Amino acid sequence: MSPEAYHFDTLALHAGQSVDATQSRGVPVYRTTSYLFKNTEHAANLFALKELGNIYTRLMNPTTDVLEQRVAQLEGGAASVAFSSGTSAIFSTVVTLAEAGDDIVSATNLYGGTYTQFEAILPKLGIRVQFVDAKDPGSFERAIGPRTRALYIETIGNPVLDFTDVQAVARVAHDHGLPLIVDGTFTTPYLLRSIEHGADIVINSLTKWMGGHGSAIGGIVTDAGRFDWNGGRHPLFSEPDANYHGLRWATDLPEPLAPLAFALRLRTVPLRNLGACVSPDNSWIFLQGLETLPVRMARHCANAQRVAEHLAAHPQVAWVRYPGLKDDPSYALASRYLHNGFGGMVVFGVKGGYEAAVRLIDRIELFSHLANVGDAKSLILHPASTSHSQLTEEQQRASGLTPDLIRLSIGLEYPDDIITALDEALATAG
Ligand SMILES: *Cc1c(COP(=O)(O)O)cnc(C)c1O
């Protein structure tokens, strides 16, 4: 059996590692900043991209390389580039394909930090972001202008876990010669390989389920390797790059590298010169997490499904959103795409509104009250009084966030214990 034929669970354990001269079974951590050149010709070739190899850990590192190859195979992509955070992975992706005067078209229902980056930071650098409704692929089409460089979506959105029709948005993107960027953090490649549905670039925050233990911050970008950057919409790829000896990324790379134009420019321009590199130690932590991604995700999904069904029948609960509930507005779409479960996030409204929500959070045992998702432990947050408290109630409601909304990231605890913790807190919150 050839390694290419391995199933996802097998790749999660083995992909990307070739056992080295030490015969070390675990992936070694290469804690080094730099690498010896064999001679001056070797050094010159590395800098001119005539030969690929290690120069400096800001650009590449053997431990991080295993992580990048493993994620590329799990996503079914051509190459991946790791970053110090999901946030820096997103920023680096955008500035690889857009510059001042350009714009991208993005869904509105984004992770909060991404929304702020798109709404407040990118425009100050001259990159406009046009926000559209993720539920309406036509709204992406209507927003595309002459200097649009990409479309951007998340698979499962914020705050109410609406599922996005990846294929429909990909079709709009490709009809207009644009790449589709997908943030797949909430699904991970175990639940959804967006590249199979038309995504050209997939971003994951490794901080969440892929790392899976709430112990390190990181992000990774995967290039499907099939977008035509010479289609007329991407001068950063089709015009000579003054910083790389006049290289035209879309047309001048030698054959084996040609499909990797985006991943190479991402590594050699923003990663190299803006510098948001992951540490080799964190790459090792993410590799450790990825080994168990399939078994963990299966359990996250089973536990979340059980919690969502329990809450839906609970007298103290006003409403529940989980894409795996049969009467959820996202169920029909999500069940067309997701065959291994519907993710680890559940949101619900508690009867009694804001006050009851705050009381519930203060009383709940077992759940950790903090601002993260995708930990092995169950997490809880009341966005209205924390992450979104700077917005007015009207602004909150406009983004789908109601005062009674409680966000759960369901962990790997024994399911009955999770349910009991919720029941006890609900009994005293109302
Ligand atoms: C957490 C998260 C990010 C940002 O990732 P960091 O690693 O925290 O910088 C981006 N998108 C989504 C969907 C996330 O959940």
Side-chain angles (χ1 to χ4, degrees):
M1 185 174 187
S2 78
E4 291 76 53
Y6 287 148
H7 293 84
F8 189 96
D9 303 42
T10 309
L11 293 173
L13 286 155
H14 294 281
Q17 184 187 12
S18 22
V19 172
D20 69 13
T22 66
Q23 296 288 91
S24 168
R25 177 62 281 186
V27 176
V29 182
Y30 285 90
R31 236 183 234 133
T32 184
T33 55
S34 31
Y35 309 84
L36 291 164
F37 303 125
K38 292 175 201 155
N39 51 45
T40 50
E41 189 195 355
H42 178 225
N45 283 346
L46 290 179
F47 274 93
L49 293 185
K50 284 188 187 143
E51 204 177 318
L52 292 185
N54 295 319
I55 298 174
Y56 193 59
T57 278
R58 178 163 20 83
L59 273 159
M60 54 214 293
N61 171 281
T63 309
T64 302
D65 182 59
V66 179
L67 171 69
E68 291 170 337
Q69 289 195 45
R70 187 163 300 175
V71 171
Q73 290 193 45
L74 292 175
E75 288 284 8
S80 298
V81 183
F83 287 88
S84 58
S85 67
T87 304
S88 59
I90 293 165
F91 180 76
S92 302
T93 295
V94 174
V95 299
T96 297
L97 50 75
E99 60 189 323
D102 294 344
D103 65 90
I104 64 168
V105 178
S106 171
T108 323
N109 56 345
L110 299 172
Y111 174 74
T114 309
Y115 186 83
T116 304
Q117 182 183 126
F118 284 9
E119 198 261 341
I121 315 286
L122 289 180
K124 290 214 197 298
L125 303 176
I127 300 172
R128 207 156 55 95
V129 180
Q130 307 204 67
F131 288 104
V132 297
D133 181 2
K135 292 195 290 301
D136 174 14
S139 69
F140 289 83
E141 184 139 47
R142 290 190 292 278
I144 293 170
R147 290 197 63 174
T148 302
R149 303 295 181 225
L151 306 189
Y152 191 98
I153 57 171
E154 292 182 6
T155 50
I156 294 180
N158 264 294
V160 288
L161 312 177
D162 280 317
F163 190 84
T164 307
D165 191 342
V166 181
Q167 289 172 10
V169 183
R171 218 173 294 126
V172 172
H174 298 156
D175 282 351
H176 292 269
L178 294 168
L180 174 64
I181 307 169
V182 176
D183 178 338
T185 302
F186 274 34
T187 36
T188 81
Y190 176 73
L191 298 184
L192 186 73
R193 287 154 51 103
S194 299
I195 289 171
E196 288 171 2
H197 300 285
D200 301 288
I201 298 161
V202 178
I203 302 175
N204 283 283
S205 168
L206 294 163
T207 316
K208 313 299 169 51
W209 292 269
M210 286 173 84
H213 298 78
S215 48
I217 304 272
I220 195 157
V221 181
T222 302
D223 178 1
R226 60 179 181 217
F227 186 77
D228 177 11
W229 297 98
N230 199 32
R233 279 227 177 234
H234 297 93
L236 287 173
F237 285 82
S238 54
E239 308 277 318
D241 188 337
N243 296 317
Y244 259 103
H245 319 288
L247 175 78
R248 286 165 305 178
W249 295 90
T251 48
D252 295 348
L253 290 169
E255 189 37 51
L257 297 181
L260 305 180
F262 179 82
L264 274 173
R265 187 163 201 279
L266 179 67
R267 185 183 298 283
T268 51
V269 181
L271 183 61
R272 181 181 183 191
N273 303 302
L274 299 177
C277 61
V278 68
S279 79
D281 295 78
N282 280 356
S283 292
W284 185 88
I285 288 172
F286 297 132
L287 281 164
Q288 190 83 343
L290 284 176
E291 290 197 353
T292 55
L293 178 68
V295 281
R296 286 187 293 101
M297 281 312 282
R299 178 72 172 261
H300 279 296
C301 292
N303 281 1
Q305 183 78 38
R306 181 122 181 247
V307 166
E309 285 169 8
H310 182 79
L311 290 176
H314 197 289
Q316 287 296 116
V317 170
W319 56 269
V320 184
R321 288 295 308 268
Y322 183 66
L325 287 177
K326 294 233 157 48
D327 58 357
D328 190 272
S330 264
Y331 179 77
L333 191 57
S335 53
R336 252 177 51 206
Y337 284 88
L338 306 179
H339 305 296
N340 293 328
F342 294 89
M345 298 297 294
V346 178
V347 299
F348 72 101
V350 60
K351 283 187 187 160
Y354 187 100
E355 284 73 27
V358 169
R359 264 198 306 277
L360 183 144
I361 300 226
D362 279 334
R363 294 196 184 158
I364 196 159
E365 305 278 344
L366 191 65
F367 279 69
S368 305
H369 179 205
L370 52 75
N372 187 27
V373 297
D375 197 316
K377 303 176 180 82
S378 286
L379 315 176
I380 192 164
L381 188 74
H382 180 229
S385 65
T386 56
S387 54
H388 291 64
S389 58
Q390 77 279 20
L391 303 182
T392 65
E393 193 177 322
E394 260 164 56
Q395 287 173 319
Q396 290 186 6
R397 282 187 190 280
S399 71
L401 183 72
T402 50
D404 61 347
L405 184 147
I406 291 177
R407 185 181 83 176
L408 305 176
S409 174
I410 299 298
L412 306 177
E413 296 92 346
Y414 194 75
D416 295 15
D417 295 342
I418 300 174
I419 301 276
T420 304
L422 283 164
D423 281 351
E424 286 175 358
L426 278 164
T428 61

